[in-house]
């Protein structure tokens, strides 16, 4: 099978269902950013971190493929003529969201209370995590804008929101685990 199809040479691409849209369409930007986020999570997973974090990151990456599939589905072609859903996969569940919440709560139990914003950095792995968090926030902003135009499953948007929170807590936990210096942002007073 060839990877290149040449069908996008004129600046369009196909959604799941066959509808062609411009490559700069907000739907493409949304799931493209989710794909970018997924790649950043792979980079974090490739670091020397706790195997439990790696295992959860694999689950998250799987769930992000599901979010991407949801975003890539043309809502007008989401239901087949036989009444079944075109996207015949497990969607984002409340359990997926609750898993992130439980993991954040468990990590937070080991961390000192947060009294200030923290500057991203302190260790390369922590920085990768902060970059992923920022990409996740961008994916969420784009998905939110898309949802205003063409609503999709609410749990997909909620998952992105919770994931950005998880990535922030993970960055803090990695700072703690790696004994990296967490620098508080303390604005200068006038």
């Amino acid at each position: 099978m060839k990877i290149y199809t040449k069908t996008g040479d004129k600046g369009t691409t196909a959604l799941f269902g066959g509808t062609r849209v411009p490559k700069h369409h907000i739907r493409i930007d949304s799931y493209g950013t989710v794909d970018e986020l997924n790649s950043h999570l792979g980079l974090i997973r490739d670091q020397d971190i706790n195997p439990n974090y790696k295992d959860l990151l694999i689950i998250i990456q799987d769930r992000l493929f599901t979010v991407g599939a949801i975003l890539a589905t043309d809502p007008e072609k989401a239901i087949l003529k036989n009444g079944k859903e075109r996207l015949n996969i497990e969607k984002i569940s409340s359990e997926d969201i609750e898993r992130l919440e439980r993991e954040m709560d468990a990590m937070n139990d080991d961390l000192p209370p947060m009294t200030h914003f923290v500057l991203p950095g302190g260790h390369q792995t922590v920085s990768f995590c902060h970059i992923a968090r920022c990409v996740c926030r961008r994916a969420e902003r784009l998905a939110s804008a898309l949802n205003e135009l063409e609503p999709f499953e609410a749990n997909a948007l909620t998952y992105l929101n919770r994931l950005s929170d998880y990535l922030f807590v993970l960055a803090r936990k990695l700072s703690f685990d790696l004994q990296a210096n967490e620098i508080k942002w303390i604005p200068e007073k006038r």
Side-chain angles (χ1 to χ4, degrees), residues 115-184:
T115 58
H116 295 81
F117 287 108
V118 294
L119 301 180
H123 188 282
Q124 185 175 24
T125 303
V126 174
S127 295
F128 290 152
C129 203
H130 279 292
I131 291 168
R133 173 186 55 82
C134 292
V135 173
C136 187
R137 283 289 188 212
R138 179 164 32 98
E140 181 187 6
R141 289 190 303 271
L142 289 165
S144 175
L146 173 62
N147 191 55
E148 276 189 15
L149 299 172
E150 298 176 343
F152 54 85
E153 296 178 40
N155 275 351
L157 191 56
T158 301
Y159 190 78
L160 289 174
N161 183 43
R162 207 66 82 252
L163 180 56
S164 61
D165 295 335
Y166 168 81
L167 291 169
F168 177 76
V169 177
L170 180 60
R172 289 200 70 224
K173 184 66 167 84
L174 289 171
S175 288
F176 182 82
D177 292 351
L178 297 165
Q179 299 178 349
N181 188 20
E182 191 174 73
I183 300 173
K184 295 176 181 175

Side-chain angles (χ1 to χ4, degrees), residues 82-99:
N82 64 10
K84 294 184 179 180
E85 290 184 34
R86 178 176 298 279
L87 194 57
N88 187 21
I89 60 174
E90 284 293 320
K91 305 300 188 305
I92 301 299
S93 68
S94 297
E95 171 56 33
D96 293 321
I97 295 162
E98 290 163 7
R99 178 186 295 118

Side-chain angles (χ1 to χ4, degrees), residues 55-67:
D55 292 343
L56 183 58
L57 286 171
I58 289 171
I59 293 168
I60 292 168
Q61 287 183 291
D62 172 85
R63 301 289 60 218
L64 285 178
F65 263 92
T66 298
V67 171

Side-chain angles (χ1 to χ4, degrees), residues 16-18 73-88:
F16 190 49
T73 301
D74 180 350
E76 292 182 12
K77 295 187 178 179
I79 305 298
L80 300 169
K81 290 179 184 175
N82 64 10
K84 294 184 179 180
E85 290 184 34
R86 178 176 298 279
L87 194 57
N88 187 21

